[in-house]
Amino acid sequence: MTELVRAVVLGALQALTEFLPISSSGHLILASRTLGGSVDTLTFDVGLHVGTAVAVLAYFWRDWRDIVRSALAGIRDCGLRVARWEGRAQMGVWILLGTVPAVLAGLIFTEWIEQDLRDPAVVGVTLVAGGILLGAADRWGGTLRGLSEMRGGPALLVGVAQASALIPGVSRSGITIAAARSLGFERHAATRFSFMLSMPIVVAAGLYRLASALRGEEQVEWGPLALGACAAFVVGAAVIRFLLGFVQGHSLLPFVLYRLALGMVVLGLVARGAL
């Protein structure tokens, strides 16, 4: 497979699995075993992260604009007394608060995870375990809380769940939606908060990798990078739109069943030595 075709395929796969609750890191690890080559080269790493970062920024641009404007007005009128800020400004605070656990976990555990956990067997186990958690939370979670009822405590708990998604196969969107559903948030609110919570992490990862590409010694192939980023952006925006519409009238059972089936197939292939 040529590098240009691989860039498009991996970009689309990254975006599809980043925003659906089925694990992007797990699928990319499996894809690297299937398609050949590596998805960890700087070219693909930068392209995939930049594309998904632009997708989440572009899709929710009105939300980010309103959050920033409202926060500036809140600081002007009430200082740092967040409790007196308007709801959209507070949402910005909850998103930042929910980002802290993932940042800390990344600083502490990333090297260990990269060295010891990027393995198909780990992906198989976490796909199954994460599917069970997602199914249980979606089935028995409450449906009484809307996004306007998000507060610091729930945001921090969802952020702790997000930190666990550093483990391949867990799925950042899957575990954060499951956490929010278990805290009583209705399905659409849980999904929307999951997407918005991803913004600081995804954007920071994209910018960090882009800076590494610009100052690093590894040769970056800018053609494949641009194609991969474009594919990730287009597919990412489409997936965000699809899932927000889907959860308004459907449960998350199709994604749960997919995770369980794929996880069992992966574990079976690992047991046979075929993966």
Side-chain angles (χ1 to χ4, degrees):
M1 185 179 294
T2 69
E3 292 299 284
L4 294 179
V5 174
R6 285 185 77 243
V8 173
V9 170
L10 292 174
L13 180 64
Q14 159 73 11
L16 186 68
T17 55
E18 172 71 31
F19 297 117
L20 293 180
I22 56 177
S23 176
S24 61
S25 59
H27 279 76
L28 290 174
I29 289 173
L30 298 177
S32 68
R33 300 295 182 99
T34 305
L35 301 177
S38 173
V39 298
D40 296 323
T41 63
L42 203 53
T43 293
F44 289 113
D45 209 15
V46 172
L48 304 190
H49 282 85
V50 168
T52 50
V54 174
V56 76
L57 278 171
Y59 191 88
F60 295 106
W61 73 270
R62 290 185 180 86
D63 296 87
W64 308 131
R65 178 198 63 191
D66 293 343
I67 285 172
V68 171
R69 286 179 177 177
S70 185
L72 291 175
I75 293 172
R76 180 194 64 209
D77 298 334
C78 306
L80 297 179
R81 291 170 291 183
V82 176
R84 296 189 179 184
W85 289 6
E86 194 265 336
R88 288 172 296 183
Q90 291 183 351
M91 180 58 65
V93 176
W94 309 148
I95 290 171
L96 292 177
L97 181 63
T99 301
V100 171
V103 172
L104 295 177
L107 292 173
I108 298 170
F109 297 115
T110 293
E111 184 175 352
W112 169 64
I113 291 170
E114 291 293 323
Q115 291 179 353
D116 298 330
L117 297 184
R118 295 184 66 82
D119 183 87
V122 173
V123 172
V125 170
T126 51
L127 281 171
V128 172
I132 294 172
L133 287 174
L134 179 62
D138 192 51
R139 173 65 178 84
W140 290 293
T143 58
L144 300 178
R145 304 175 77 177
L147 194 57
S148 63
E149 298 177 77
M150 181 61 67
R151 297 293 183 270
L156 186 60
L157 290 174
V158 176
V160 171
Q162 178 173 247
S164 71
L166 290 170
I167 302 172
V170 169
S171 172
R172 194 211 60 80
S173 61
I175 200 65
T176 52
I177 291 172
R181 292 286 289 121
S182 68
L183 292 170
F185 288 89
E186 54 94 12
R187 198 172 288 122
H188 186 268
T191 304
R192 191 173 184 86
F193 185 71
S194 170
F195 286 153
M196 296 183 71
L197 183 62
S198 74
M199 192 275 290
I201 292 295
V202 172
V203 171
L207 291 175
Y208 174 78
R209 286 164 172 79
L210 183 59
S212 298
L214 294 174
R215 70 170 183 267
E217 297 180 355
E218 180 180 334
Q219 183 177 359
V220 176
E221 300 177 45
W222 293 101
L225 185 153
L227 275 179
C230 288
F233 165 69
V234 172
V235 175
V239 170
I240 292 172
R241 181 181 180 85
F242 160 76
L243 191 59
L244 286 173
F246 180 85
V247 297
Q248 289 184 314
H250 304 83
S251 76
L252 296 171
L253 182 60
F255 306 108
V256 173
L257 295 178
Y258 173 82
R259 290 181 63 111
L260 295 177
L262 180 60
M264 295 304 295
V265 168
V266 170
L267 291 175
L269 292 174
V270 169
R272 294 175 56 187
L275 191 63

